[in-house]
Amino acid sequence: MKTKKHKDKILFTPGPLTTSQTVKQAMMRDLGSRDSEFIAIVQQIRRKLVELGQASPDEYTAVLMQGSGTFGLEAVVSSTVPPDGKMLIIINGAYGKRLAKIASVLKIDTITLEYPENTTPNLPEIEEMLNNDKEITNVSVVHCETTTGIINPIMEIGQHVAKSGATYFVDAMSSFGAVPLNLTECNIDYLVSSANKCIEGVPGFSFILCKLSSLKETAGYARSLSFDLLDQYLGFEKNGQFRFTPPTHTLVAFRQALEELEEEGGVNGRAERYRKNYETLVTGMRKMGFKEYLIPEHQGYIITSFLYPDDSNFSFEEFYESLNQKDYVIYPGKVSDANCFRIGNIGQIFEADIKALLATIRQTIAQMGVKLK
Ligand SMILES: *Cc1c(COP(=O)(O)O)cnc(C)c1O
Protein backbone atom coordinates (compact mmCIF):
# COMPACT_ATOMS: atom_id res chain seq x y z
CA MET A 1 0.00 0.00 0.00
CA LYS A 2 1.29 3.41 -0.91
CA THR A 3 0.72 6.32 1.40
CA LYS A 4 -0.13 9.65 -0.11
CA LYS A 5 2.84 12.01 0.08
CA HIS A 6 1.65 15.14 1.79
CA LYS A 7 3.60 18.32 1.19
CA ASP A 8 3.03 20.70 4.06
CA LYS A 9 3.14 24.47 3.95
CA ILE A 10 6.54 26.07 4.60
CA LEU A 11 6.73 27.67 8.03
CA PHE A 12 8.57 31.01 8.07
CA THR A 13 7.71 31.32 11.76
CA PRO A 14 9.49 31.26 15.13
CA GLY A 15 8.33 27.68 15.71
CA PRO A 16 7.20 25.02 15.42
CA LEU A 17 9.22 24.90 12.24
CA THR A 18 9.47 22.99 9.01
CA THR A 19 11.43 19.81 9.80
CA SER A 20 13.14 17.31 7.53
CA GLN A 21 11.39 14.19 6.27
CA THR A 22 14.00 12.07 8.07
CA VAL A 23 13.35 13.78 11.43
CA LYS A 24 9.62 13.10 11.04
CA GLN A 25 10.26 9.49 9.98
CA ALA A 26 12.51 8.88 13.02
CA MET A 27 9.41 9.23 15.21
CA MET A 28 7.82 6.07 13.85
CA ARG A 29 8.88 4.02 16.86
CA ASP A 30 7.19 2.94 20.05
CA LEU A 31 9.92 2.78 22.64
CA GLY A 32 9.27 2.12 26.30
CA SER A 33 10.52 4.74 28.71
CA ARG A 34 12.64 2.15 30.57
CA ASP A 35 13.98 0.55 27.39
CA SER A 36 17.78 0.52 27.39
CA GLU A 37 17.82 1.84 23.80
CA PHE A 38 15.68 4.79 24.82
CA ILE A 39 17.77 5.51 27.93
CA ALA A 40 20.91 5.50 25.78
CA ILE A 41 19.28 7.98 23.37
CA VAL A 42 18.46 10.32 26.26
CA GLN A 43 22.04 10.12 27.53
CA GLN A 44 23.38 10.77 24.04
CA ILE A 45 21.14 13.83 23.64
CA ARG A 46 22.16 15.23 27.02
CA ARG A 47 25.86 14.85 26.23
CA LYS A 48 25.49 16.38 22.78
CA LEU A 49 23.65 19.44 24.13
CA VAL A 50 26.48 20.22 26.54
CA GLU A 51 28.88 19.92 23.60
CA LEU A 52 26.79 22.39 21.56
CA GLY A 53 27.22 24.84 24.44
CA GLN A 54 31.01 24.37 24.03
CA ALA A 55 31.21 23.23 27.63
CA SER A 56 32.79 20.38 29.56
CA PRO A 57 30.50 17.67 31.01
CA ASP A 58 32.45 18.09 34.25
CA GLU A 59 31.14 21.63 34.52
CA TYR A 60 27.72 21.57 32.81
CA THR A 61 24.81 19.16 32.45
CA ALA A 62 21.69 19.10 30.27
CA VAL A 63 18.35 18.50 31.94
CA LEU A 64 15.42 17.70 29.65
CA MET A 65 11.96 18.88 30.66
CA GLN A 66 8.62 17.77 29.20
CA GLY A 67 6.52 20.51 27.59
CA SER A 68 7.17 23.53 25.38
CA GLY A 69 9.96 26.07 25.81
CA THR A 70 8.06 28.07 28.40
CA PHE A 71 7.95 25.00 30.65
CA GLY A 72 11.76 25.01 30.69
CA LEU A 73 11.79 28.72 31.59
CA GLU A 74 9.32 28.07 34.38
CA ALA A 75 11.48 25.19 35.64
CA VAL A 76 14.48 27.52 35.97
CA VAL A 77 12.60 30.44 37.52
CA SER A 78 10.73 28.22 39.99
CA SER A 79 13.73 26.05 40.94
CA THR A 80 16.79 28.31 41.05
CA VAL A 81 15.74 31.42 42.95
CA PRO A 82 16.32 31.00 46.71
CA PRO A 83 13.18 31.29 48.89
CA ASP A 84 14.18 34.82 49.93
CA GLY A 85 15.84 35.62 46.59
CA LYS A 86 15.25 38.48 44.18
CA MET A 87 15.43 38.29 40.41
CA LEU A 88 16.50 41.07 38.08
CA ILE A 89 14.80 40.63 34.71
CA ILE A 90 16.19 42.55 31.74
CA ILE A 91 13.40 43.17 29.26
CA ASN A 92 13.29 44.41 25.67
CA GLY A 93 10.43 42.39 24.25
CA ALA A 94 7.54 40.02 24.86
CA TYR A 95 9.69 37.07 25.96
CA GLY A 96 11.46 39.13 28.63
CA LYS A 97 7.99 40.14 29.81
CA ARG A 98 7.00 36.48 29.92
CA LEU A 99 9.89 35.77 32.32
CA ALA A 100 8.56 38.54 34.56
CA LYS A 101 5.07 37.05 34.33
CA ILE A 102 6.37 33.61 35.35
CA ALA A 103 8.15 35.14 38.36
CA SER A 104 5.05 37.10 39.29
CA VAL A 105 2.79 34.02 39.23
CA LEU A 106 5.36 32.28 41.44
CA LYS A 107 5.31 35.31 43.77
CA ILE A 108 9.05 35.74 43.40
CA ASP A 109 10.44 39.15 44.31
CA THR A 110 11.56 40.81 41.07
CA ILE A 111 12.99 44.01 39.74
CA THR A 112 13.07 44.85 36.04
CA LEU A 113 15.16 46.95 33.72
CA GLU A 114 13.00 47.60 30.68
CA TYR A 115 14.21 48.93 27.33
CA PRO A 116 12.48 49.80 24.07
CA GLU A 117 12.05 46.83 21.78
CA ASN A 118 14.42 48.25 19.16
CA THR A 119 17.23 48.84 21.69
CA THR A 120 19.72 46.53 23.37
CA PRO A 121 19.97 46.73 27.18
CA ASN A 122 22.12 49.49 28.69
CA LEU A 123 25.19 47.76 30.16
CA PRO A 124 26.36 50.51 32.57
CA GLU A 125 22.83 50.68 33.96
CA ILE A 126 22.84 46.92 34.58
CA GLU A 127 26.23 47.17 36.25
CA GLU A 128 25.04 50.01 38.46
CA MET A 129 21.90 48.18 39.50
CA LEU A 130 23.91 45.08 40.43
CA ASN A 131 26.33 47.24 42.44
CA ASN A 132 23.57 49.08 44.27
CA ASP A 133 21.07 46.34 44.97
CA LYS A 134 22.84 43.58 46.85
CA GLU A 135 19.56 41.69 47.33
CA ILE A 136 19.60 40.56 43.70
CA THR A 137 20.39 36.83 43.65
CA ASN A 138 19.41 35.99 40.06
CA VAL A 139 19.55 37.80 36.73
CA SER A 140 17.74 36.80 33.56
CA VAL A 141 17.77 37.97 29.96
CA VAL A 142 16.64 36.73 26.55
CA HIS A 143 19.38 36.08 23.97
CA CYS A 144 17.50 36.48 20.67
CA GLU A 145 14.31 38.42 21.52
CA THR A 146 12.06 36.68 19.02
CA THR A 147 9.63 39.60 19.32
CA THR A 148 11.86 41.58 16.96
CA GLY A 149 14.86 39.35 16.20
CA ILE A 150 17.25 41.56 18.20
CA ILE A 151 20.36 39.85 19.62
CA ASN A 152 21.16 40.87 23.19
CA PRO A 153 24.78 41.07 24.48
CA ILE A 154 24.66 38.04 26.78
CA MET A 155 28.44 37.80 27.14
CA GLU A 156 28.81 41.40 28.36
CA ILE A 157 25.83 41.11 30.70
CA GLY A 158 27.31 37.84 31.99
CA GLN A 159 30.53 39.59 32.97
CA HIS A 160 28.62 42.03 35.18
CA VAL A 161 26.49 39.26 36.68
CA ALA A 162 29.58 37.18 37.48
CA LYS A 163 31.20 40.14 39.24
CA SER A 164 28.09 40.60 41.39
CA GLY A 165 28.00 36.92 42.37
CA ALA A 166 24.39 36.48 41.18
CA THR A 167 23.14 33.48 39.19
CA TYR A 168 22.79 34.09 35.47
CA PHE A 169 19.91 32.70 33.40
CA VAL A 170 19.60 33.09 29.63
CA ASP A 171 16.52 32.33 27.53
CA ALA A 172 18.26 31.22 24.32
CA MET A 173 15.16 29.52 22.98
CA SER A 174 15.38 30.84 19.44
CA SER A 175 19.17 31.06 19.10
CA PHE A 176 20.70 27.94 20.63
CA GLY A 177 22.11 25.65 17.94
CA ALA A 178 22.37 28.42 15.36
CA VAL A 179 24.17 31.27 17.12
CA PRO A 180 27.55 30.07 18.46
CA LEU A 181 27.83 30.45 22.22
CA ASN A 182 30.22 29.31 24.93
CA LEU A 183 28.45 28.69 28.25
CA THR A 184 31.61 29.08 30.33
CA GLU A 185 32.80 32.26 28.61
CA CYS A 186 29.36 33.84 29.00
CA ASN A 187 29.31 32.90 32.71
CA ILE A 188 25.92 31.24 32.23
CA ASP A 189 24.46 29.21 35.08
CA TYR A 190 21.24 28.21 33.28
CA LEU A 191 20.30 28.35 29.62
CA VAL A 192 16.99 27.22 28.16
CA SER A 193 16.06 26.21 24.62
CA SER A 194 13.60 23.73 23.14
CA ALA A 195 13.37 20.83 20.72
CA ASN A 196 11.54 22.64 17.95
CA LYS A 197 13.63 25.74 17.30
CA CYS A 198 17.10 25.89 15.73
CA ILE A 199 17.94 22.24 16.31
CA GLU A 200 14.94 21.53 14.05
CA GLY A 201 13.27 18.78 16.04
CA VAL A 202 9.55 18.43 16.67
CA PRO A 203 7.84 20.02 19.70
CA GLY A 204 7.54 18.19 23.01
CA PHE A 205 10.30 19.14 25.40
CA SER A 206 12.67 21.89 26.43
CA PHE A 207 16.19 21.53 27.73
CA ILE A 208 18.11 23.37 30.40
CA LEU A 209 21.88 23.58 30.32
CA CYS A 210 22.93 23.94 33.95
CA LYS A 211 26.23 24.73 35.59
CA LEU A 212 26.56 21.77 37.95
CA SER A 213 28.06 23.69 40.86
CA SER A 214 25.09 26.10 40.80
CA LEU A 215 22.40 23.46 40.30
CA LYS A 216 23.68 21.43 43.23
CA GLU A 217 23.19 24.39 45.55
CA THR A 218 19.47 24.66 44.82
CA ALA A 219 18.13 21.93 47.12
CA GLY A 220 14.87 23.08 48.67
CA TYR A 221 14.31 25.97 46.23
CA ALA A 222 11.71 24.27 43.99
CA ARG A 223 8.22 25.76 44.11
CA SER A 224 6.65 22.96 42.07
CA LEU A 225 6.99 19.19 41.85
CA SER A 226 6.74 18.80 38.04
CA PHE A 227 9.14 21.65 37.37
CA ASP A 228 11.70 20.69 40.03
CA LEU A 229 14.91 21.06 38.04
CA LEU A 230 17.24 19.51 40.61
CA ASP A 231 14.94 16.53 41.11
CA GLN A 232 14.66 16.02 37.34
CA TYR A 233 18.47 16.08 37.15
CA LEU A 234 18.85 13.63 40.03
CA GLY A 235 16.37 11.31 38.29
CA PHE A 236 18.48 11.27 35.12
CA GLU A 237 21.63 10.67 37.14
CA LYS A 238 20.07 7.87 39.16
CA ASN A 239 18.69 5.66 36.37
CA GLY A 240 18.82 7.67 33.15
CA GLN A 241 15.05 8.11 33.21
CA PHE A 242 12.58 10.96 33.26
CA ARG A 243 10.63 11.12 36.51
CA PHE A 244 7.32 11.20 34.61
CA THR A 245 6.25 10.05 31.11
CA PRO A 246 8.79 11.30 28.56
CA PRO A 247 7.85 12.42 25.02
CA THR A 248 9.56 9.33 23.58
CA HIS A 249 8.77 9.99 19.93
CA THR A 250 9.96 13.58 20.13
CA LEU A 251 13.23 12.48 21.71
CA VAL A 252 13.96 9.92 19.01
CA ALA A 253 13.25 12.59 16.38
CA PHE A 254 15.51 15.01 18.26
CA ARG A 255 18.40 12.55 18.20
CA GLN A 256 18.00 12.43 14.40
CA ALA A 257 17.82 16.25 14.28
CA LEU A 258 21.10 16.46 16.21
CA GLU A 259 22.74 14.13 13.70
CA GLU A 260 21.52 16.30 10.85
CA LEU A 261 22.86 19.39 12.60
CA GLU A 262 26.23 17.66 12.81
CA GLU A 263 26.09 16.78 9.10
CA GLU A 264 25.40 20.40 8.27
CA GLY A 265 28.62 21.43 9.98
CA GLY A 266 27.32 21.93 13.51
CA VAL A 267 26.31 25.31 14.88
CA ASN A 268 28.57 27.15 12.42
CA GLY A 269 27.17 25.33 9.43
CA ARG A 270 23.61 26.02 10.48
CA ALA A 271 24.44 29.65 11.23
CA GLU A 272 25.77 29.98 7.72
CA ARG A 273 22.55 28.70 6.10
CA TYR A 274 20.32 30.86 8.30
CA ARG A 275 22.49 33.91 7.67
CA LYS A 276 22.24 33.30 3.92
CA ASN A 277 18.45 32.98 4.27
CA TYR A 278 18.37 36.24 6.17
CA GLU A 279 20.53 38.11 3.66
CA THR A 280 18.49 36.86 0.72
CA LEU A 281 15.28 37.82 2.52
CA VAL A 282 16.20 41.37 3.52
CA THR A 283 17.86 42.13 0.20
CA GLY A 284 14.70 41.05 -1.63
CA MET A 285 12.32 42.78 0.79
CA ARG A 286 14.27 46.06 0.66
CA LYS A 287 14.28 45.89 -3.13
CA MET A 288 10.46 45.77 -3.02
CA GLY A 289 10.44 48.73 -0.64
CA PHE A 290 9.78 47.00 2.70
CA LYS A 291 11.60 48.34 5.75
CA GLU A 292 12.85 46.45 8.79
CA TYR A 293 11.79 47.46 12.29
CA LEU A 294 15.34 47.16 13.70
CA ILE A 295 18.53 48.83 12.54
CA PRO A 296 20.77 46.21 10.89
CA GLU A 297 23.42 46.38 13.69
CA HIS A 298 20.88 44.97 16.16
CA GLN A 299 19.25 42.53 13.80
CA GLY A 300 20.06 38.83 14.11
CA TYR A 301 19.62 36.29 11.32
CA ILE A 302 16.96 34.24 13.15
CA ILE A 303 13.79 36.22 12.48
CA THR A 304 13.07 39.66 11.02
CA SER A 305 10.28 42.13 11.82
CA PHE A 306 9.13 44.20 8.85
CA LEU A 307 7.01 47.34 9.16
CA TYR A 308 3.61 47.36 7.47
CA PRO A 309 3.78 49.33 4.20
CA ASP A 310 2.47 52.87 4.59
CA ASP A 311 -0.46 52.35 2.21
CA SER A 312 -4.13 51.96 3.16
CA ASN A 313 -4.49 49.16 0.60
CA PHE A 314 -2.34 46.97 2.88
CA SER A 315 -4.14 44.63 5.23
CA PHE A 316 -2.05 42.11 7.16
CA GLU A 317 -4.92 39.61 7.31
CA GLU A 318 -5.33 39.67 3.53
CA PHE A 319 -1.54 39.52 2.99
CA TYR A 320 -1.17 36.62 5.42
CA GLU A 321 -4.12 34.70 3.96
CA SER A 322 -2.97 35.14 0.40
CA LEU A 323 0.54 33.84 1.25
CA ASN A 324 -0.98 31.05 3.32
CA GLN A 325 -3.10 29.90 0.37
CA LYS A 326 0.10 29.60 -1.63
CA ASP A 327 1.60 27.46 1.18
CA TYR A 328 3.83 30.11 2.75
CA VAL A 329 3.17 30.75 6.42
CA ILE A 330 4.52 34.01 7.85
CA TYR A 331 3.91 35.35 11.35
CA PRO A 332 2.14 38.34 12.89
CA GLY A 333 4.19 41.00 14.65
CA LYS A 334 4.57 41.19 18.42
CA VAL A 335 6.12 44.65 18.76
CA SER A 336 4.07 46.90 21.04
CA ASP A 337 4.74 50.29 19.41
CA ALA A 338 4.75 49.57 15.66
CA ASN A 339 2.72 47.55 13.17
CA CYS A 340 4.94 44.72 12.00
CA PHE A 341 4.87 41.22 10.62
CA ARG A 342 7.64 38.67 11.04
CA ILE A 343 9.43 36.29 8.74
CA GLY A 344 11.61 33.54 10.23
CA ASN A 345 14.70 32.09 8.58
CA ILE A 346 14.95 29.01 10.77
CA GLY A 347 13.92 25.39 10.22
CA GLN A 348 14.35 23.38 7.02
CA ILE A 349 14.30 26.51 4.87
CA PHE A 350 16.80 27.11 2.10
CA GLU A 351 17.70 29.98 -0.19
CA ALA A 352 15.39 28.66 -2.92
CA ASP A 353 12.46 28.75 -0.45
CA ILE A 354 13.24 32.36 0.46
CA LYS A 355 13.39 33.30 -3.22
CA ALA A 356 10.05 31.61 -3.86
CA LEU A 357 8.56 33.43 -0.87
CA LEU A 358 9.87 36.76 -2.16
CA ALA A 359 8.34 36.18 -5.60
CA THR A 360 5.00 35.35 -3.97
CA ILE A 361 5.15 38.44 -1.75
CA ARG A 362 5.83 40.60 -4.82
CA GLN A 363 2.84 39.08 -6.59
CA THR A 364 0.57 39.43 -3.55
CA ILE A 365 1.51 43.06 -2.96
CA ALA A 366 0.75 43.85 -6.61
CA GLN A 367 -2.63 42.08 -6.38
CA MET A 368 -3.51 44.10 -3.28
CA GLY A 369 -2.59 47.31 -5.10
CA VAL A 370 -0.07 48.27 -2.41
CA LYS A 371 2.52 50.87 -3.40
CA LEU A 372 5.75 50.57 -1.47
CA LYS A 373 7.98 53.41 -2.60
C1 LIG B 1 9.63 30.45 21.23
C2 LIG B 1 10.16 31.19 22.39
C3 LIG B 1 9.69 30.98 23.70
C4 LIG B 1 8.49 30.14 24.04
O1 LIG B 1 8.53 28.88 23.67
P1 LIG B 1 7.21 27.98 23.68
O2 LIG B 1 7.74 26.71 23.09
O3 LIG B 1 6.18 28.65 22.81
O4 LIG B 1 6.76 27.82 25.06
C5 LIG B 1 10.31 31.65 24.73
N1 LIG B 1 11.32 32.51 24.51
C6 LIG B 1 11.78 32.76 23.27
C7 LIG B 1 12.89 33.74 23.11
C8 LIG B 1 11.21 32.11 22.17
O5 LIG B 1 11.67 32.38 20.94
Side-chain angles (χ1 to χ4, degrees):
M1 190 184 76
K2 270 199 172 162
T3 50
K4 189 163 158 266
K5 268 241 164 74
H6 183 72
K7 180 117 171 34
D8 290 313
K9 295 172 183 179
I10 304 180
L11 305 174
F12 296 91
T13 67
L17 305 172
T18 295
T19 57
S20 72
Q21 207 57 34
T22 34
V23 162
K24 286 186 276 282
Q25 275 159 359
M27 276 193 291
M28 308 286 275
R29 302 282 310 276
D30 294 315
L31 285 174
S33 59
R34 292 159 169 266
D35 188 299
S36 60
E37 185 187 350
F38 176 69
I39 287 174
I41 290 172
V42 170
Q43 283 308 106
Q44 194 187 338
I45 289 172
R46 291 182 59 216
R47 266 201 309 273
K48 185 71 202 170
L49 288 171
V50 172
E51 230 175 83
L52 290 179
Q54 300 176 30
S56 150
D58 298 331
E59 235 195 313
Y60 284 86
T61 191
V63 179
L64 314 180
M65 186 62 74
Q66 297 95 327
S68 84
T70 306
F71 290 59
L73 302 175
E74 188 145 3
V76 174
V77 178
S78 63
S79 306
T80 69
V81 182
D84 54 352
K86 179 173 179 180
M87 186 175 230
L88 165 63
I89 304 170
I90 301 161
I91 301 174
N92 60 344
Y95 292 101
K97 282 188 190 141
R98 184 175 297 177
L99 289 173
K101 182 81 194 287
I102 292 170
S104 147
V105 168
L106 291 163
K107 301 184 171 61
I108 287 169
D109 190 12
T110 58
I111 183 161
T112 60
L113 276 173
E114 206 163 340
Y115 300 96
E117 288 158 324
N118 59 0
T119 312
T120 51
N122 181 318
L123 295 168
E125 218 167 85
I126 293 170
E127 185 180 20
E128 195 189 318
M129 174 155 291
L130 289 170
N131 280 336
N132 292 342
D133 189 343
K134 291 296 171 201
E135 286 183 354
I136 296 171
T137 51
N138 298 66
V139 178
S140 63
V141 71
V142 178
H143 186 201
C144 171
E145 236 314 341
T146 323
T147 309
T148 56
I150 202 167
I151 299 285
N152 287 325
I154 53 165
M155 165 109 82
E156 291 78 358
I157 296 171
Q159 284 163 357
H160 293 308
V161 179
K163 248 189 280 160
S164 79
T167 297
Y168 188 32
F169 166 34
V170 175
D171 170 355
M173 205 74 72
S174 62
S175 57
F176 191 77
V179 179
L181 162 153
N182 182 309
L183 289 163
T184 313
E185 281 173 13
C186 291
N187 288 299
I188 292 171
D189 294 288
Y190 303 98
L191 175 145
V192 171
S193 183
S194 72
N196 62 279
K197 298 231 174 175
C198 296
I199 296 174
E200 301 187 354
V202 301
F205 71 94
S206 58
F207 53 87
I208 302 113
L209 293 169
C210 314
K211 188 187 250 179
L212 279 163
S213 57
S214 306
L215 180 64
K216 286 177 177 169
E217 280 175 7
T218 61
Y221 291 4
R223 291 157 178 85
S224 148
L225 173 71
S226 302
F227 289 126
D228 189 333
L229 189 61
L230 181 60
D231 205 38
Q232 186 91 339
Y233 164 75
L234 293 173
F236 285 127
E237 292 301 303
K238 192 173 88 195
N239 55 18
Q241 295 177 22
F242 281 75
R243 293 173 302 158
F244 313 124
T245 302
T248 48
H249 302 76
T250 300
L251 285 153
V252 179
F254 192 72
R255 196 253 312 249
Q256 174 66 25
L258 284 171
E259 276 173 20
E260 293 177 17
L261 173 64
E262 193 74 32
E263 282 161 22
E264 196 172 357
V267 176
N268 290 322
R270 185 140 300 173
E272 209 173 298
R273 173 162 60 88
Y274 288 175
R275 188 188 293 279
K276 182 96 194 145
N277 285 348
Y278 162 72
E279 282 164 4
T280 306
L281 177 74
V282 290
T283 305
M285 291 295 277
R286 284 177 193 160
K287 217 179 257 174
M288 277 185 256
F290 282 99
K291 290 184 177 62
E292 301 105 273
Y293 170 73
L294 292 177
I295 57 167
E297 296 88 277
H298 288 155
Q299 179 70 59
Y301 47 80
I302 300 294
I303 190 165
T304 310
S305 286
F306 292 97
L307 296 165
Y308 283 5
D310 189 14
D311 183 327
S312 59
N313 282 339
F314 182 84
S315 132
F316 175 73
E317 287 66 35
E318 199 184 328
F319 182 60
Y320 174 89
E321 203 37 58
S322 171
L323 293 174
N324 185 51
Q325 275 168 18
K326 289 162 187 142
D327 293 344
Y328 297 111
V329 182
I330 63 163
Y331 220 59
K334 215 178 171 119
V335 177
S336 51
D337 64 354
N339 284 321
C340 293
F341 60 87
R342 287 180 288 173
I343 298 181
N345 306 304
I346 58 180
Q348 280 287 294
I349 293 173
F350 300 85
E351 202 186 355
D353 301 310
I354 301 279
K355 286 186 169 158
L357 172 69
L358 286 165
T360 310
I361 289 177
R362 185 181 288 280
Q363 193 189 357
T364 304
I365 285 296
Q367 274 164 3
M368 289 171 71
V370 173
K371 295 262 179 311
L372 275 154
K373 291 186 195 179

